[in-house]
Amino acid sequence: DIFIVFGHFFCVCAAEKQRNILVILSYNPDASSGSKVIDSFEKQMNAAGVKVNISVEALGCDNFKDLTVWHDNMRRILNKYQAQDVKPDVLLLLGQEAMATYLSQDISLVPDLPVFCAMGSRNYIEVPSQQFDLSAWTPESHDIADVCGLYNVVGGFFYEYNLEKNIELVRHYFPNVKHLALLSDNSY
């Protein structure tokens, strides 16, 4: 559980000090999935005796054709918090788009900032920083495990999809099924 790891991380780091947490979400922070995760996180920290100050920012990832806007928004948010007197102690990325966009930034923007991720796949695509032809774009999938060290990703909870195992389960529980259809948003 990400919050247990997170809580342990802070308990090791002098619990009497207030910790500044920057949460960057892919979408609107009022959406139920994001707000539930943030509320659960805050309760876990309080239960562990860790004082936290949580700042929440949203990338506004509403449309896939606005990928470069996501990139710019992430850079703006990271620069905003690096310029403040009270910098975040930890970055929590919630959602696939937030994770992929963060991992597409210049790593020098966020030196030594511990990062945790949740609500996203272990695989990601690089988010372009400049305008491009979306119809001709053929992004490659990357494994977050390959870049954790570069981006100081110290923990998280990632989805890992196994299409073959899912098909096996369908065939096991529904042996008479003759046709399967796969529907995807084709974004990751």
Side-chain angles (χ1 to χ4, degrees):
D1 188 88
I2 187 171
F3 305 117
I4 293 170
V5 172
F6 218 68
H8 177 71
F9 176 80
F10 281 129
C11 288
V12 169
C13 307
E16 67 277 353
K17 180 183 174 198
Q18 179 171 304
R19 298 295 172 177
N20 297 306
I21 314 298
L22 173 57
V23 178
I24 301 179
L25 295 103
S26 297
Y27 304 105
N28 181 346
D30 294 330
S32 66
S33 58
S35 63
K36 284 179 185 176
V37 170
I38 295 168
D39 289 345
S40 175
F41 167 73
E42 190 168 19
K43 286 177 186 171
Q44 291 288 331
M45 294 298 98
N46 289 335
V50 179
K51 300 174 200 157
V52 293
N53 176 38
I54 300 174
S55 300
V56 179
E57 297 277 351
L59 283 182
C61 300
D62 297 326
N63 192 320
F64 200 62
K65 68 178 181 171
D66 293 332
L67 282 169
T68 57
V69 173
W70 305 355
H71 198 280
D72 292 343
N73 287 348
M74 178 65 77
R75 180 178 294 273
R76 180 186 48 74
I77 291 167
L78 293 172
N79 285 337
K80 170 183 166 182
Y81 284 88
Q82 289 299 312
Q84 292 183 356
D85 289 336
V86 181
K87 293 178 177 46
D89 295 304
V90 169
L91 174 60
L92 175 58
L93 300 169
L94 297 181
Q96 186 69 36
E97 295 83 357
M99 290 168 30
T101 305
Y102 174 80
L103 296 171
S104 301
Q105 297 294 317
D106 178 0
I107 58 173
S108 66
L109 279 177
V110 287
D112 305 321
L113 180 64
V115 178
F116 288 83
C117 303
M119 298 171 55
S121 170
R122 176 180 169 159
N123 299 309
Y124 73 97
I125 57 172
E126 288 186 36
V127 175
S129 60
Q130 299 175 357
Q131 293 291 24
F132 65 102
D133 180 3
L134 185 59
S135 65
W137 187 45
T138 56
E140 292 183 27
S141 178
H142 302 283
D143 186 339
I144 196 169
D146 295 337
V147 296
C148 282
L150 293 172
Y151 289 90
N152 208 20
V153 176
V154 296
F157 181 82
F158 305 100
Y159 307 133
E160 188 168 359
Y161 303 103
N162 187 323
L163 186 59
E164 289 82 16
K165 293 263 187 209
N166 281 303
I167 291 171
E168 286 177 26
L169 280 172
V170 170
R171 289 191 171 140
H172 175 78
Y173 289 110
F174 305 100
N176 296 329
V177 167
K178 302 276 187 248
H179 303 281
L180 291 174
L182 174 66
L183 302 176
S184 171
D185 68 359
N186 198 29
S187 58
Y188 295 99

